[in-house]
Amino acid sequence: MEIQFLGTSAGQPSKSRNVSCTALKLLDELNEVWLFDVGEATQHQILKTNIRPRKVTRIFISHTHGDHIFGLPGFLSSRSFQGDGGPLTIYGPAGIEQFVQTSLRVSKTRVSYPIKYVVLKEDGLIFENDIFAVYTARLDHRVPSFGFRVVEKPRPGELLMDKVAEYNVPNGPLLGQLKAGKIITLSDGQKLDGRDFLGEERPGRIVTIIYDTRPTKNIGELADNADVLVHESTFDGGEEKMAHRYFHSTCLDAARVARDHNVGELYLTHISARYTGRAGRQLEHDARKIFKHTHLANDLDNFEITLRG
Amino acid sequence: MEIQFLGTSAGQPSKSRNVSCTALKLLDELNEVWLFDVGEATQHQILKTNIRPRKVTRIFISHTHGDHIFGLPGFLSSRSFQGDGGPLTIYGPAGIEQFVQTSLRVSKTRVSYPIKYVVLKEDGLIFENDIFAVYTARLDHRVPSFGFRVVEKPRPGELLMDKVAEYNVPNGPLLGQLKAGKIITLSDGQKLDGRDFLGEERPGRIVTIIYDTRPTKNIGELADNADVLVHESTFDGGEEKMAHRYFHSTCLDAARVARDHNVGELYLTHISARYTGRAGRQLEHDARKIFKHTHLANDLDNFEITLRG
Ligand SMILES: [Zn+2]
Ligand SMILES: [Zn+2]
């Protein structure tokens, strides 16, 4: 599980930061990549990474402001052109389907795969499979805006090979069943219960993504115990009034959420173009006074998401 | 008058070429910049140039395929955000207004300037002022596609200072009137006719822009005597069948137009991603066998447009 920042700018692209997109790479877990927001030129950023568009199966859109969605038509078209792409689901507030469908219709683009739209309205579970669950909750922005909490379910413990070695278990399907916690019967009739051969269940990881919002209670609920929190940081700590007026957060708001909700690592994104170079690093510096494990995200930064030791 | 290539790729962006956009810089003539097609990430390309979005007053769209229009919503939003932009007119086939308006409405973008839409339907004059006229004609693509011919009107001759020096004309307004070809009266009562003091009228320049199309008669009419012809060159000379099937042209098609219609300089654009590096230069090399003044356009190339000597 890795996270890669494809766009970390607020509102408009700058020379060093593109508009919003964050990729959650679940290659080991699902052989899939999920995108969170798709600002203009997301497909251009992807060209600079090892992400293959056909691996992108789910797209989560926080809100419909242009810097978070204008890359959708181009990305979807190129994913189609490159072929081999299976179905894709877009989760987002009302309006996304109309924007995408109008763009594809006017441009006479026939995509080669089905697109499913899930309209976000209420807080709660929006996706679940054997390995992951995704929750959303309404934030506080000028237009409906949603945060996301990706929860990896507890993973079965590893097969204890020392213990297995005491029995005559042949390599192959039987070993696999044991690893899956099932009961197997050996050739001599002996029964083994997989659960006796597994180490402790490992807790899953939690990744929370909070784009455009003022500070609001739901953020904490989405971020609680997250291993990784990605949080917008449009303004610096001195600009609280400005942040409030424009329905945004400061770097200190983000750090407080991380501190108060037992977060592992905090990544600041959605950085206003006014903070370039040293000024950007100052955001990180200031936030670290509140929450030490704060990192300023830069375009194309890629981080492995590990469980906290 | 300069021309700058902001995107020279066909269909999809590559690492070295963005999707279609060509800027015609009319700063000396009108203090304006005109764009021809606005592919995704055109605003990102503009960040790398000296073009100021507020100077862009007219946008000409050849056809509605995504690689020619998906940059419109982002460009228009950023032009608004940056302020000071006056009215803007978009000329293009039916569908552009719906695409732009849906994008702006869904993203809740209120642009700070009026946008006028001119739907292209018939061949002929689509814009005219004192200095320029723009003509369009239907090309032959899978969807309605239009070419453009920008004609600079003949410019008055320069003031012949040697001849003026024979008279006692004071610096200032009188000299200006003389330069404008008017009749002035000197302090001693002598009358001078400006037309007697001007050199020969200088012909205007002609720039023709031909995006996606098969070879077709209208191209020649738009390109006739052009000082600069920008022509799509999606395929190489060996791929004529492929070009026909996909409603495109080869580099040789472009060169033949230039040769047969007394063109000054030919710029090849809309280059398929299959032609990178040496293969791209091969397109130019092959086309030069037919028309010597052929240039492969690369992203951000900027050329002064001069009258032919
Ligand atoms: Zn926003
Ligand atoms: Zn086309």
Side-chain angles (χ1 to χ4, degrees):
Chain A
M1 192 191 274
E2 294 174 32
I3 197 160
Q4 186 163 27
F5 294 92
L6 301 184
T8 59
S9 172
Q12 295 184 284
S14 71
K15 277 187 190 176
S16 58
R17 297 181 186 276
N18 195 33
V19 283
S20 293
C21 181
T22 305
L24 185 62
K25 298 174 174 177
L26 306 171
L27 294 171
D28 290 343
E29 295 78 8
L30 297 174
N31 199 22
E32 296 181 13
V33 174
W34 296 355
L35 299 183
F36 293 80
D37 288 355
V38 180
E40 184 179 355
T42 288
Q43 64 163 326
H44 300 65
Q45 294 290 81
I46 286 178
L47 283 176
K48 303 172 193 163
T49 71
N50 60 3
I51 296 171
R52 276 175 287 178
R54 66 184 171 83
K55 300 262 184 183
V56 175
T57 54
R58 296 178 200 285
I59 295 177
F60 301 86
I61 300 290
S62 64
H63 68 299
T64 59
H65 278 156
D67 56 318
H68 297 256
I69 66 168
F70 283 165
L72 274 170
F75 172 77
L76 297 172
S77 304
S78 290
R79 183 181 189 270
S80 175
F81 183 80
Q82 290 161 31
D84 292 334
L88 184 146
T89 305
I90 303 177
Y91 306 79
I96 300 292
E97 178 167 3
Q98 198 199 3
F99 166 62
V100 171
Q101 291 304 116
T102 299
S103 303
L104 298 181
R105 193 179 59 252
V106 168
S107 62
K108 304 279 192 300
T109 309
R110 275 179 233 102
V111 296
S112 59
Y113 50 85
I115 303 177
K116 192 180 149 192
Y117 298 88
V118 176
V119 178
L120 302 181
K121 285 177 197 152
E122 291 168 17
D123 299 357
L125 183 73
I126 54 170
F127 168 75
E128 184 168 27
N129 68 8
D130 286 351
I131 309 182
F132 288 99
V134 181
Y135 301 86
T136 192
R138 182 80 172 255
L139 306 177
D140 181 15
H141 196 45
R142 197 187 291 276
V143 301
S145 184
F146 292 84
F148 302 99
R149 176 180 172 91
V150 179
V151 178
E152 186 186 28
K153 298 183 176 177
R155 293 172 293 171
E158 287 181 69
L159 196 58
L160 304 169
M161 291 309 292
D162 283 4
K163 211 165 164 188
V164 173
E166 295 168 20
Y167 300 83
N168 197 10
V169 186
N171 255 322
L174 280 180
L175 202 63
Q177 286 173 34
L178 210 59
K179 197 173 171 182
K182 293 183 180 163
I183 294 171
I184 62 167
T185 308
L186 297 179
S187 56
D188 62 2
Q190 193 179 10
K191 282 189 186 329
L192 302 179
D193 186 338
R195 286 168 299 180
D196 298 333
F197 294 85
L198 295 179
E200 248 190 302
E201 198 180 63
R202 294 168 295 171
R205 290 156 287 184
I206 297 172
V207 177
T208 299
I209 300 198
I210 305 293
Y211 280 122
D212 300 17
T213 186
R214 284 175 179 164
T216 185
K217 190 169 143 285
N218 273 349
I219 299 174
E221 296 186 1
L222 290 172
D224 211 42
N225 290 314
D227 297 278
V228 163
L229 168 61
V230 176
H231 197 297
E232 76 124 297
S233 168
T234 311
F235 293 103
D236 67 48
E239 298 283 13
E240 240 172 84
K241 275 187 189 164
M242 184 88 102
H244 185 80
R245 190 185 322 152
Y246 289 104
F247 292 84
H248 281 296
S249 300
T250 72
C251 58
L252 304 186
D253 293 327
R256 283 183 206 111
V257 171
R259 178 194 65 195
D260 298 345
H261 291 275
N262 186 35
V263 160
E265 305 291 330
L266 168 65
Y267 295 98
L268 303 178
T269 187
H270 205 267
I271 310 297
S272 164
R274 63 168 73 182
Y275 306 113
T276 55
R278 178 196 287 271
R281 287 189 296 280
Q282 190 66 38
L283 296 177
E284 181 182 73
H285 183 261
D286 293 350
R288 280 185 178 172
K289 289 178 191 158
I290 292 174
F291 183 74
K292 200 178 130 204
H293 295 278
T294 301
H295 314 275
L296 177 72
N298 290 306
D299 280 24
L300 304 180
D301 278 356
N302 190 78
F303 299 98
E304 174 112 32
I305 300 174
T306 51
L307 266 181
R308 279 175 279 179
Chain B
M1 192 190 274
E2 294 174 31
I3 195 160
Q4 186 163 26
F5 294 92
L6 301 184
T8 58
S9 171
Q12 296 183 282
S14 71
K15 279 187 190 176
S16 58
R17 296 182 186 276
N18 195 34
V19 283
S20 292
C21 180
T22 305
L24 185 62
K25 299 175 174 177
L26 306 170
L27 295 171
D28 290 342
E29 295 79 8
L30 298 175
N31 198 21
E32 295 180 14
V33 175
W34 296 354
L35 300 182
F36 292 80
D37 288 356
V38 180
E40 185 179 355
T42 289
Q43 65 163 324
H44 299 65
Q45 294 290 82
I46 286 178
L47 284 176
K48 303 173 193 162
T49 71
N50 60 2
I51 296 171
R52 276 177 285 180
R54 66 184 171 83
K55 299 262 185 184
V56 176
T57 53
R58 296 177 199 284
I59 295 177
F60 300 86
I61 300 291
S62 64
H63 68 300
T64 60
H65 278 156
D67 56 318
H68 297 257
I69 65 168
F70 283 165
L72 274 171
F75 172 77
L76 298 173
S77 304
S78 292
R79 182 181 189 271
S80 175
F81 183 81
Q82 290 162 32
D84 293 332
L88 184 146
T89 305
I90 303 177
Y91 306 79
I96 299 293
E97 177 167 4
Q98 197 198 3
F99 166 62
V100 170
Q101 291 303 116
T102 299
S103 303
L104 297 181
R105 192 177 60 250
V106 168
S107 63
K108 304 279 193 298
T109 310
R110 275 179 233 101
V111 296
S112 58
Y113 50 85
I115 303 176
K116 191 180 149 193
Y117 298 88
V118 176
V119 177
L120 302 181
K121 285 178 196 152
E122 291 169 18
D123 299 357
L125 183 73
I126 54 170
F127 167 77
E128 184 169 26
N129 66 9
D130 284 353
I131 309 182
F132 288 100
V134 182
Y135 301 85
T136 192
R138 183 78 172 256
L139 306 177
D140 181 16
H141 196 45
R142 196 186 293 276
V143 301
S145 185
F146 292 83
F148 302 99
R149 175 180 173 90
V150 179
V151 178
E152 185 185 28
K153 297 183 178 179
R155 294 173 292 171
E158 288 180 68
L159 197 57
L160 303 170
M161 291 311 292
D162 284 3
K163 211 165 163 188
V164 174
E166 294 168 20
Y167 300 85
N168 197 10
V169 185
N171 255 323
L174 280 180
L175 202 62
Q177 285 173 35
L178 209 59
K179 198 174 172 180
K182 293 183 180 161
I183 294 172
I184 62 168
T185 308
L186 298 179
S187 55
D188 62 2
Q190 192 179 11
K191 282 190 187 330
L192 302 179
D193 186 337
R195 287 169 296 181
D196 297 334
F197 294 85
L198 294 178
E200 248 191 300
E201 198 180 63
R202 294 168 294 172
R205 291 156 287 186
I206 297 172
V207 177
T208 299
I209 300 197
I210 305 293
Y211 280 122
D212 301 16
T213 185
R214 284 175 178 164
T216 185
K217 189 170 143 284
N218 273 348
I219 299 174
E221 297 186 1
L222 290 171
D224 210 43
N225 289 314
D227 297 277
V228 163
L229 168 62
V230 176
H231 197 296
E232 78 123 296
S233 167
T234 311
F235 294 102
D236 66 48
E239 298 283 12
E240 240 173 83
K241 274 187 190 164
M242 184 89 101
H244 185 81
R245 191 185 322 151
Y246 289 103
F247 292 84
H248 281 296
S249 299
T250 72
C251 60
L252 303 188
D253 293 327
R256 283 183 206 111
V257 171
R259 179 195 62 195
D260 297 345
H261 291 275
N262 186 35
V263 161
E265 305 291 329
L266 167 65
Y267 295 98
L268 303 178
T269 187
H270 204 267
I271 310 296
S272 165
R274 62 168 72 181
Y275 306 111
T276 56
R278 178 195 288 271
R281 287 188 296 277
Q282 190 66 38
L283 295 178
E284 182 182 72
H285 183 260
D286 292 350
R288 280 185 177 171
K289 288 179 192 158
I290 292 173
F291 183 74
K292 200 178 132 203
H293 296 278
T294 301
H295 315 275
L296 178 71
N298 290 307
D299 281 23
L300 304 180
D301 279 356
N302 190 78
F303 300 97
E304 174 112 31
I305 301 174
T306 50
L307 266 181
R308 278 175 280 179

mmCIF file of all heavy atoms in Angstrom, chain A residues 75-95:
data_model
loop_
_atom_site.group_PDB
_atom_site.id
_atom_site.type_symbol
_atom_site.label_atom_id
_atom_site.label_comp_id
_atom_site.label_asym_id
_atom_site.label_seq_id
_atom_site.Cartn_x
_atom_site.Cartn_y
_atom_site.Cartn_z
ATOM 1 N N PHE A 75 -8.666 11.998 -18.508
ATOM 2 C CA PHE A 75 -8.188 10.740 -17.930
ATOM 3 C C PHE A 75 -9.036 9.568 -18.411
ATOM 4 O O PHE A 75 -8.497 8.520 -18.816
ATOM 5 C CB PHE A 75 -8.185 10.794 -16.397
ATOM 6 C CG PHE A 75 -7.892 9.454 -15.794
ATOM 7 C CD1 PHE A 75 -6.585 8.966 -15.762
ATOM 8 C CD2 PHE A 75 -8.909 8.632 -15.333
ATOM 9 C CE1 PHE A 75 -6.308 7.707 -15.276
ATOM 10 C CE2 PHE A 75 -8.641 7.365 -14.831
ATOM 11 C CZ PHE A 75 -7.343 6.897 -14.807
ATOM 12 N N LEU A 76 -10.356 9.748 -18.375
ATOM 13 C CA LEU A 76 -11.252 8.641 -18.765
ATOM 14 C C LEU A 76 -11.071 8.295 -20.250
ATOM 15 O O LEU A 76 -11.087 7.119 -20.628
ATOM 16 C CB LEU A 76 -12.710 9.013 -18.473
ATOM 17 C CG LEU A 76 -13.033 9.246 -16.980
ATOM 18 C CD1 LEU A 76 -14.448 9.801 -16.814
ATOM 19 C CD2 LEU A 76 -12.859 7.967 -16.157
ATOM 20 N N SER A 77 -10.884 9.326 -21.085
ATOM 21 C CA SER A 77 -10.675 9.083 -22.523
ATOM 22 C C SER A 77 -9.379 8.326 -22.764
ATOM 23 O O SER A 77 -9.349 7.360 -23.537
ATOM 24 C CB SER A 77 -10.608 10.411 -23.282
ATOM 25 O OG SER A 77 -11.756 11.174 -23.065
ATOM 26 N N SER A 78 -8.307 8.749 -22.114
ATOM 27 C CA SER A 78 -7.016 8.107 -22.343
ATOM 28 C C SER A 78 -7.021 6.682 -21.794
ATOM 29 O O SER A 78 -6.443 5.777 -22.389
ATOM 30 C CB SER A 78 -5.895 8.918 -21.692
ATOM 31 O OG SER A 78 -5.731 10.124 -22.399
ATOM 32 N N ARG A 79 -7.682 6.475 -20.663
ATOM 33 C CA ARG A 79 -7.793 5.114 -20.106
ATOM 34 C C ARG A 79 -8.497 4.203 -21.116
ATOM 35 O O ARG A 79 -8.149 3.033 -21.255
ATOM 36 C CB ARG A 79 -8.591 5.153 -18.804
ATOM 37 C CG ARG A 79 -8.716 3.793 -18.091
ATOM 38 C CD ARG A 79 -9.549 3.958 -16.829
ATOM 39 N NE ARG A 79 -9.548 2.772 -15.982
ATOM 40 C CZ ARG A 79 -10.426 1.783 -16.083
ATOM 41 N NH1 ARG A 79 -11.352 1.805 -17.021
ATOM 42 N NH2 ARG A 79 -10.366 0.750 -15.241
ATOM 43 N N SER A 80 -9.463 4.759 -21.835
ATOM 44 C CA SER A 80 -10.177 3.985 -22.843
ATOM 45 C C SER A 80 -9.281 3.717 -24.046
ATOM 46 O O SER A 80 -9.175 2.595 -24.536
ATOM 47 C CB SER A 80 -11.430 4.750 -23.283
ATOM 48 O OG SER A 80 -12.070 4.087 -24.333
ATOM 49 N N PHE A 81 -8.595 4.762 -24.498
ATOM 50 C CA PHE A 81 -7.735 4.654 -25.677
ATOM 51 C C PHE A 81 -6.636 3.618 -25.471
ATOM 52 O O PHE A 81 -6.281 2.872 -26.385
ATOM 53 C CB PHE A 81 -7.118 6.019 -25.973
ATOM 54 C CG PHE A 81 -6.275 6.042 -27.204
ATOM 55 C CD1 PHE A 81 -6.854 6.142 -28.465
ATOM 56 C CD2 PHE A 81 -4.896 5.951 -27.114
ATOM 57 C CE1 PHE A 81 -6.072 6.159 -29.608
ATOM 58 C CE2 PHE A 81 -4.102 5.958 -28.255
ATOM 59 C CZ PHE A 81 -4.687 6.059 -29.500
ATOM 60 N N GLN A 82 -6.113 3.567 -24.231
ATOM 61 C CA GLN A 82 -5.024 2.636 -23.949
ATOM 62 C C GLN A 82 -5.507 1.198 -23.781
ATOM 63 O O GLN A 82 -4.699 0.270 -23.754
ATOM 64 C CB GLN A 82 -4.251 3.103 -22.699
ATOM 65 C CG GLN A 82 -3.440 4.375 -22.984
ATOM 66 C CD GLN A 82 -3.042 5.115 -21.713
ATOM 67 O OE1 GLN A 82 -2.844 4.510 -20.672
ATOM 68 N NE2 GLN A 82 -2.936 6.432 -21.812
ATOM 69 N N GLY A 83 -6.813 1.004 -23.682
ATOM 70 C CA GLY A 83 -7.397 -0.331 -23.694
ATOM 71 C C GLY A 83 -7.228 -1.134 -22.425
ATOM 72 O O GLY A 83 -6.575 -0.717 -21.472
ATOM 73 N N ASP A 84 -7.861 -2.307 -22.413
ATOM 74 C CA ASP A 84 -7.719 -3.285 -21.319
ATOM 75 C C ASP A 84 -8.306 -2.830 -19.994
ATOM 76 O O ASP A 84 -8.141 -3.511 -18.981
ATOM 77 C CB ASP A 84 -6.240 -3.628 -21.049
ATOM 78 C CG ASP A 84 -5.643 -4.386 -22.213
ATOM 79 O OD1 ASP A 84 -6.412 -5.044 -22.932
ATOM 80 O OD2 ASP A 84 -4.422 -4.314 -22.390
ATOM 81 N N GLY A 85 -8.959 -1.701 -19.972
ATOM 82 C CA GLY A 85 -9.498 -1.203 -18.706
ATOM 83 C C GLY A 85 -10.838 -1.847 -18.398
ATOM 84 O O GLY A 85 -11.734 -1.863 -19.238
ATOM 85 N N GLY A 86 -10.994 -2.376 -17.202
ATOM 86 C CA GLY A 86 -12.273 -2.922 -16.767
ATOM 87 C C GLY A 86 -13.180 -1.814 -16.265
ATOM 88 O O GLY A 86 -12.888 -0.634 -16.450
ATOM 89 N N PRO A 87 -14.296 -2.197 -15.635
ATOM 90 C CA PRO A 87 -15.251 -1.206 -15.129
ATOM 91 C C PRO A 87 -14.606 -0.235 -14.155
ATOM 92 O O PRO A 87 -13.610 -0.573 -13.504
ATOM 93 C CB PRO A 87 -16.300 -2.056 -14.397
ATOM 94 C CG PRO A 87 -16.100 -3.446 -14.861
ATOM 95 C CD PRO A 87 -14.687 -3.571 -15.315
ATOM 96 N N LEU A 88 -15.165 0.932 -14.063
ATOM 97 C CA LEU A 88 -14.640 1.973 -13.189
ATOM 98 C C LEU A 88 -15.817 2.629 -12.470
ATOM 99 O O LEU A 88 -16.875 2.834 -13.068
ATOM 100 C CB LEU A 88 -13.875 2.984 -14.035
ATOM 101 C CG LEU A 88 -13.147 4.121 -13.327
ATOM 102 C CD1 LEU A 88 -11.868 4.468 -14.091
ATOM 103 C CD2 LEU A 88 -14.016 5.364 -13.232
ATOM 104 N N THR A 89 -15.635 2.903 -11.187
ATOM 105 C CA THR A 89 -16.704 3.540 -10.409
ATOM 106 C C THR A 89 -16.230 4.906 -9.930
ATOM 107 O O THR A 89 -15.103 5.042 -9.451
ATOM 108 C CB THR A 89 -17.085 2.677 -9.197
ATOM 109 O OG1 THR A 89 -17.429 1.363 -9.655
ATOM 110 C CG2 THR A 89 -18.287 3.269 -8.468
ATOM 111 N N ILE A 90 -17.090 5.896 -10.103
ATOM 112 C CA ILE A 90 -16.794 7.250 -9.627
ATOM 113 C C ILE A 90 -17.754 7.596 -8.494
ATOM 114 O O ILE A 90 -18.973 7.558 -8.681
ATOM 115 C CB ILE A 90 -16.936 8.288 -10.759
ATOM 116 C CG1 ILE A 90 -16.028 7.918 -11.948
ATOM 117 C CG2 ILE A 90 -16.620 9.693 -10.250
ATOM 118 C CD1 ILE A 90 -16.165 8.855 -13.137
ATOM 119 N N TYR A 91 -17.185 7.877 -7.346
ATOM 120 C CA TYR A 91 -17.969 8.307 -6.181
ATOM 121 C C TYR A 91 -17.810 9.809 -6.044
ATOM 122 O O TYR A 91 -16.675 10.306 -5.984
ATOM 123 C CB TYR A 91 -17.443 7.641 -4.902
ATOM 124 C CG TYR A 91 -17.354 6.134 -4.964
ATOM 125 C CD1 TYR A 91 -16.298 5.499 -5.626
ATOM 126 C CD2 TYR A 91 -18.329 5.339 -4.367
ATOM 127 C CE1 TYR A 91 -16.225 4.120 -5.697
ATOM 128 C CE2 TYR A 91 -18.254 3.940 -4.436
ATOM 129 C CZ TYR A 91 -17.203 3.349 -5.104
ATOM 130 O OH TYR A 91 -17.125 1.987 -5.172
ATOM 131 N N GLY A 92 -18.914 10.536 -5.974
ATOM 132 C CA GLY A 92 -18.775 11.981 -5.827
ATOM 133 C C GLY A 92 -20.113 12.640 -5.632
ATOM 134 O O GLY A 92 -21.170 12.008 -5.790
ATOM 135 N N PRO A 93 -20.086 13.934 -5.317
ATOM 136 C CA PRO A 93 -21.342 14.670 -5.116
ATOM 137 C C PRO A 93 -22.100 14.793 -6.434
ATOM 138 O O PRO A 93 -21.531 14.602 -7.514
ATOM 139 C CB PRO A 93 -20.882 16.056 -4.647
ATOM 140 C CG PRO A 93 -19.419 15.963 -4.420
ATOM 141 C CD PRO A 93 -18.906 14.784 -5.160
ATOM 142 N N ALA A 94 -23.376 15.149 -6.334
ATOM 143 C CA ALA A 94 -24.209 15.336 -7.526
ATOM 144 C C ALA A 94 -23.523 16.296 -8.490
ATOM 145 O O ALA A 94 -22.889 17.259 -8.065
ATOM 146 C CB ALA A 94 -25.569 15.879 -7.123
ATOM 147 N N GLY A 95 -23.644 16.025 -9.792
ATOM 148 C CA GLY A 95 -23.089 16.919 -10.805
ATOM 149 C C GLY A 95 -21.956 16.267 -11.584
ATOM 150 O O GLY A 95 -21.738 16.598 -12.750
#
